[in-house]
């Protein structure tokens, strides 16, 4: 079991490092990837939580959180850009500055965190189901 834990950790670290490298290089002009590269300590903290969960025998939660980090950054970036573009189309002359500012907001970070939290919840449910099935045997 201990060997499997290290294999899962290596896979998760590899995936998180690839996304970080993309954020620092190829995709650094994209909003959320640029944000993640600039706030690398937050990204590192998220990855550390995922790995900590793995070593606390929460394999499903860790795997789903890592998946949420990866999928969420892409979904947050591109869906956020789509929402921002749609909202900017609503801006008309004479609007209050506060309303214009709100409509120009890129919701990518909120989407990213939402996907991570949803994936953690799914991981917790899967972990409980797996534990329940294992106890029945």
């Amino acid at each position: 079991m201990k060997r499997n834990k290290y294999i899962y950790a290596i896979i998760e670290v590899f995936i998180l490092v690839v996304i970080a490298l993309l954020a620092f290089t190829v995709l650094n002009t994209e909003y959320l990837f640029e944000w993640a590269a600039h706030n690398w300590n937050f990204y590192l903290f998220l990855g550390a939580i995922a790995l900590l969960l793995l070593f606390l025998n929460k394999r499903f939660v860790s795997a789903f959180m890592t998946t949420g980090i990866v999928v969420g950054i892409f979904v947050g970036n591109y869906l956020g850009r789509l929402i921002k573009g749609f909202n900017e189309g609503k801006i008309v002359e004479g609007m209050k500055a506060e309303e214009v500012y709100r409509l120009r907001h890129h919701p990518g970070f909120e989407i990213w965190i939402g996907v991570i939290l949803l994936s953690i919840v799914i991981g917790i449910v899967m972990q409980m189901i797996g534990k329940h099935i294992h106890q029945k045997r």
Side-chain angles (χ1 to χ4, degrees), residues 1-65:
M1 181 64 185
K2 199 170 197 171
R3 184 170 184 236
N4 284 344
K5 194 182 291 189
Y6 290 120
I7 291 171
Y8 289 123
I10 290 169
I11 292 170
E12 286 186 22
V13 166
F14 177 75
I15 291 169
L16 292 170
V17 166
V18 167
I19 296 300
L21 287 174
L22 286 173
F24 279 104
T25 57
V26 178
L27 297 174
N28 69 348
T29 58
E30 297 291 332
Y31 172 78
L32 199 51
F33 290 95
E34 180 184 5
W35 187 94
H38 180 72
N39 297 292
W40 59 270
N41 50 357
F42 180 78
Y43 183 79
L44 184 66
F45 180 70
L46 286 175
I49 290 173
L51 292 174
L52 178 66
L53 288 169
L54 180 64
F55 288 103
L56 293 175
N57 294 323
K58 305 296 181 196
R59 188 175 67 210
F60 284 116
V61 181
S62 176
F64 275 92
M65 182 175 179

